[in-house]
Amino acid sequence: MLYDLRTYRCRPGTVSAQLAAYAETGFAAQCRHLGAPLLYATVETGDVNAYVHLWQFQDAADRERRRAALYEDEQWLAYRRRSAEAGFQTGQTNMLLKSAFFWLQHPTQNEDQR
C-alpha cells in the first residue's frame, strides 16, 4: 500500500471557510476518483491554521491513474478555481508513505482484514 498524507496551511482564521468550500464543491469529486480518505482532520495543536488528509492507494501507478482522472473532472477543476480565487491556502506539503514491513502482521491489522 501507498499512503498520501497531505497537509494544507491556511491564512489565520480561514480553515473553516476553506473546508466549507471543499465540502460543498470538492469532496464528492475527489472521493469519486480517489475513494474515501482514511482521514480528513483539522489540526488541534501545533499549526492550528492547517488541516490534513490521508489517502490510500495500491501503489504509485494506482495513485497516478486516479489523480489523472481527478484532474479531468470538471467539478474538481471548478473547486480548484474557487479555492484559488478565495486565496485561503498558503502552503501544502505531501508525503508518500509505505507501511513498515511488520505493520501488516500486527494483530489489529489482521483483525480488520477478517
Side-chain angles (χ1 to χ4, degrees):
M1 285 290 148
L2 181 69
Y3 300 92
D4 187 352
L5 175 62
R6 293 174 170 254
T7 302
Y8 290 86
R9 286 166 189 80
C10 294
R11 289 191 336 253
T14 64
V15 171
S16 294
Q18 173 63 35
L19 291 178
Y22 173 73
E24 183 180 324
T25 60
F27 185 65
Q30 201 167 27
C31 289
R32 189 166 42 251
H33 297 285
L34 304 184
L38 295 176
L39 174 70
Y40 218 104
T42 56
V43 177
E44 288 292 316
T45 61
D47 186 356
V48 297
N49 295 304
Y51 61 96
V52 299
H53 39 110
L54 180 64
W55 304 87
Q56 180 177 347
F57 302 96
Q58 290 296 318
D59 53 31
D62 178 45
R63 178 181 176 273
E64 185 175 331
R65 178 186 53 77
R66 289 201 258 165
R67 289 191 56 79
L70 175 65
Y71 276 87
E72 293 179 5
D73 187 311
E74 185 51 44
Q75 184 181 0
W76 176 250
L77 297 175
Y79 160 71
R80 297 272 301 167
R81 286 190 296 273
R82 179 179 176 186
S83 178
E85 289 168 5
F88 298 140
Q89 294 179 341
T90 61
Q92 171 187 348
T93 303
N94 71 299
M95 291 189 294
L96 297 180
L97 309 165
K98 292 180 6 177
S99 297
F101 71 91
F102 59 83
W103 181 245
L104 294 178
Q105 299 169 8
H106 191 272
T108 61
Q109 291 301 309
N110 293 333
E111 288 173 14
D112 292 343
Q113 295 174 3
R114 290 183 196 166

